[in-house]
Amino acid sequence: MSRPYYNPIEVAPVAEIKALQTARLIHAVHHVWDYVPYYRARMEEAGVSPEDIQTLDDLKKLPFTYKQDLRDTYPYGLFAVPMEDVVELHASSGTTGKQIVVGYTEHDIQIWGDVAARAIVAAGGDVHSKVHVSYGYGLFTGGLGLHYGAKTLGAVAIPVSSGNTKRQIQILQDFGSDILCCTPSYATYIGETLREMGIRPDEIKLSAGIFGAEPWTEDSRQEIQRLLGIKAYDIYGLTEIMGPGVAYECAEQTGMHVCEDHFIPEIINPDTGEVLPEGESGELVFSCITKEAFPLLRYRTRDIATLTRTKCSCGRTLIKMSKPRGRTDDMLIIRGVNVFPSQVESVLFQCGQTSPHYLLIVDRVNNSDTLEIMVEMSPDFQFDAVRLVEQKQQEIAAAIQSTLGISAKISLVSPKTIERSEGKSKRVIDKRQLYK
Ligand code: DLL
């Protein structure tokens, strides 16, 4: 019989988790003070020494760490162990700017395997599962992270990596994969290809999917579940903190449990840096309390989410984070209105006959911002009926106006017009950046 959780800490009393966090935080602060001159200098500047950190509440005395700090110390300036203790490097370029590089000791890799194994178990996996990993392998953490999770659990890792979608489907069929791991946009693409090939979801063995690395809405979850005949679980992580497995979803599918025994989350006001009370929306900040090679403290993720510690029906006591709504740096400001691509996605789903593929094109004409939304329609939409096309455009424009408060030009395009993604999808073209 499969276990309901992987590691007993997932269901431990909250007081026990907090005691563990406190002890580990104190140790982590000494570790960076002793071994990372950059951290020591930042702490001295802020007037804090390791002795000032005795409780979880003291965490807020520590200065924040920003992506810019990682760039300024590129490549190895924030490593807290000698290179002979590092066994693996990963990197991320993000959407903008110079890449950053992170390192792991053998112990760090073991913890990564443990937290990713928790995600697989929470999605119904066990030692018998065949875990089909279609995240990219390489410097990106997606592929190897889930791979380590499957191996740690004792399940079978199938390292397919991303791309070659028809071959993915052949492997799903022939190898009998149970759990698919990839970005939600690639899951949609695989599902659509399956449909085009005339293969019904019940002809493959998949029962679950573990999808993350980019924002996705509840509507796209429903779409993926329908296309692939599975239960779709969210997983969150970022290169700087560990990779996938920082937080993962359970059967309740109402947010992701944060692996608080390794990463302390906070929600802050991104403008003032003030720590916000539980339940409020703001920027997620993480402190690594067990990492040896690359232990970031109070790292500003730029992801917008909420944290709640309500009782979960799965029995896990770890705090839950909401689906990130987007990143502060993904948020578009169009004629003064804040717009997240995920909000547009929700509106499109509600309008019906749309597909999950869309593109926002933002420009500046005569000193005023313009927004065009290219929407790919589902195969049953009748493009030859001009009146229907106009009606649909008006319907979507009105829904965008009433939900987001901005006007947009809607362009409906036929199926398969918008480029598909095998990894993280690109939803926005902001031409205004060209004029900066
Ligand atoms: O995307 C790690 C990962 C791999 C997570 C596979 C989940 C699955 P990065 O490339 O460094 O690492 O990108 C991290 O991706 O700050 C978020 O903005 C976004 N992100 C990650 N997971 C989610 C998610 C990997 N479940 C950045 N929902 C993060 C929304 C996500 N956004």
Side-chain angles (χ1 to χ4, degrees):
M1 207 194 84
S2 61
R3 271 196 294 187
Y5 55 83
Y6 178 69
N7 187 320
I9 197 70
E10 295 172 80
V11 293
V14 174
E16 189 181 313
I17 295 171
K18 291 200 166 170
L20 188 65
Q21 284 181 320
T22 310
R24 288 179 168 176
L25 171 65
I26 292 170
H27 178 265
V29 172
H30 278 278
H31 183 57
V32 298
W33 175 270
D34 290 344
Y35 295 107
V36 188
Y38 189 85
Y39 256 114
R40 184 191 282 233
R42 294 291 313 283
M43 284 171 64
E44 281 172 344
E45 253 170 56
V48 214
S49 69
E51 289 65 41
D52 295 323
I53 311 300
Q54 299 298 333
T55 66
L56 289 179
D57 205 39
D58 292 334
L59 182 60
K60 59 175 178 288
K61 296 180 185 165
L62 291 170
F64 291 119
T65 312
Y66 297 85
K67 190 150 200 163
Q68 192 57 43
D69 294 312
L70 276 62
R71 295 198 171 120
D72 292 346
T73 53
Y74 180 84
Y76 303 133
L78 289 180
F79 281 34
V81 295
M83 203 43 95
E84 66 255 35
D85 293 340
V86 173
V87 298
E88 192 162 316
L89 297 177
H90 281 272
S92 145
S93 52
T95 40
T96 50
K98 194 166 120 183
Q99 69 173 348
I100 52 108
V101 57
V102 301
Y104 303 76
T105 63
E106 188 55 49
H107 185 248
D108 294 335
I109 296 283
Q110 280 167 14
I111 291 174
W112 195 8
D114 182 285
V115 296
R118 297 181 196 182
I120 298 171
V121 170
D126 60 23
V127 288
H128 306 290
S129 302
K130 298 192 192 79
V131 183
H132 183 115
V133 185
S134 305
Y135 287 111
Y137 279 64
L139 289 174
F140 176 55
T141 54
L144 281 165
L146 269 306
H147 186 98
Y148 294 145
K151 276 184 67 174
T152 303
L153 175 60
V156 181
I158 313 179
V160 196
S161 197
S162 59
N164 200 341
T165 309
K166 293 217 161 107
R167 182 161 168 268
Q168 299 271 353
I169 289 173
Q170 188 180 357
I171 291 171
L172 286 174
Q173 286 184 302
D174 296 353
F175 294 12
S177 318
D178 302 293
I179 299 181
L180 173 65
C181 306
C182 61
T183 59
S185 43
Y186 196 38
T188 310
Y189 186 18
I190 293 176
E192 287 173 344
T193 311
L194 204 65
R195 190 176 55 194
E196 277 164 29
M197 291 167 75
I199 302 166
R200 287 192 321 272
D202 61 6
E203 290 176 67
I204 53 170
K205 227 181 131 241
L206 278 186
S207 60
I210 304 179
F211 307 125
E214 61 182 0
W216 53 308
T217 57
E218 277 307 318
D219 300 290
S220 55
R221 187 205 299 272
Q222 300 308 326
E223 175 79 1
I224 293 170
Q225 296 195 147
R226 197 177 55 75
L227 279 169
L228 289 168
I230 58 172
K231 217 166 156 178
Y233 295 87
D234 204 350
I235 184 165
Y236 171 86
L238 61 166
T239 315
E240 298 90 315
I241 298 302
M242 176 69 92
V246 172
Y248 58 91
E249 212 169 36
C250 62
E252 207 183 79
Q253 294 181 308
T254 54
M256 294 174 270
H257 292 283
V258 178
C259 292
E260 284 180 281
D261 48 326
H262 299 294
F263 318 107
I264 303 182
E266 297 170 275
I267 292 285
I268 62 156
N269 174 329
D271 300 323
T272 63
E274 175 206 356
V275 178
L276 297 177
E278 210 186 289
E280 282 194 30
S281 172
E283 180 179 345
L284 256 177
V285 170
F286 281 106
S287 296
C288 301
I289 49 174
T290 51
K291 283 270 285 295
E292 292 177 338
F294 197 75
L296 294 185
L297 294 177
R298 301 201 87 199
Y299 182 66
R300 302 274 302 247
T301 66
R302 300 186 180 173
D303 291 318
I304 303 292
T306 55
L307 288 172
T308 40
R309 201 187 285 281
T310 43
K311 199 166 160 35
C312 187
S313 61
C314 76
R316 287 178 183 78
T317 45
L318 297 172
I319 202 163
K320 267 183 179 173
M321 62 177 268
S322 64
K323 263 182 178 306
R325 189 152 56 103
R327 297 172 56 79
T328 49
D329 43 4
D330 277 352
M331 188 182 75
L332 294 161
I333 304 183
I334 303 172
R335 295 192 294 274
V337 180
N338 298 350
V339 177
F340 283 106
S342 58
Q343 292 174 299
V344 173
E345 181 172 318
S346 295
V347 173
L348 294 180
F349 265 106
Q350 281 154 25
C351 289
Q353 287 190 292
T354 57
S355 77
H357 309 288
Y358 63 93
L359 196 59
L360 310 189
I361 304 161
V362 189
D363 204 347
R364 181 164 293 143
V365 179
N366 296 333
N367 277 325
S368 176
D369 297 334
T370 59
L371 170 64
E372 178 185 353
I373 308 178
M374 264 172 90
V375 188
E376 198 178 291
M377 301 308 285
S378 57
D380 61 338
F381 186 73
Q382 291 181 336
F383 270 97
D384 37 6
V386 178
R387 217 170 54 79
L388 280 184
V389 174
E390 281 174 2
Q391 249 176 22
K392 197 72 191 176
Q393 280 170 337
Q394 283 163 7
E395 182 197 336
I396 296 175
I400 292 283
Q401 174 75 55
S402 75
T403 316
L404 302 180
I406 46 162
S407 57
K409 175 177 176 232
I410 309 296
S411 307
L412 306 186
V413 297
S414 42
K416 289 191 162 177
T417 309
I418 295 175
E419 199 188 337
R420 299 295 188 261
S421 163
E422 293 166 353
K424 299 188 193 232
S425 59
K426 186 164 169 50
R427 308 277 197 204
V428 179
I429 299 177
D430 195 342
K431 295 184 179 166
R432 294 174 303 182
Q433 284 161 356
L434 299 173
Y435 316 133
K436 274 184 188 159

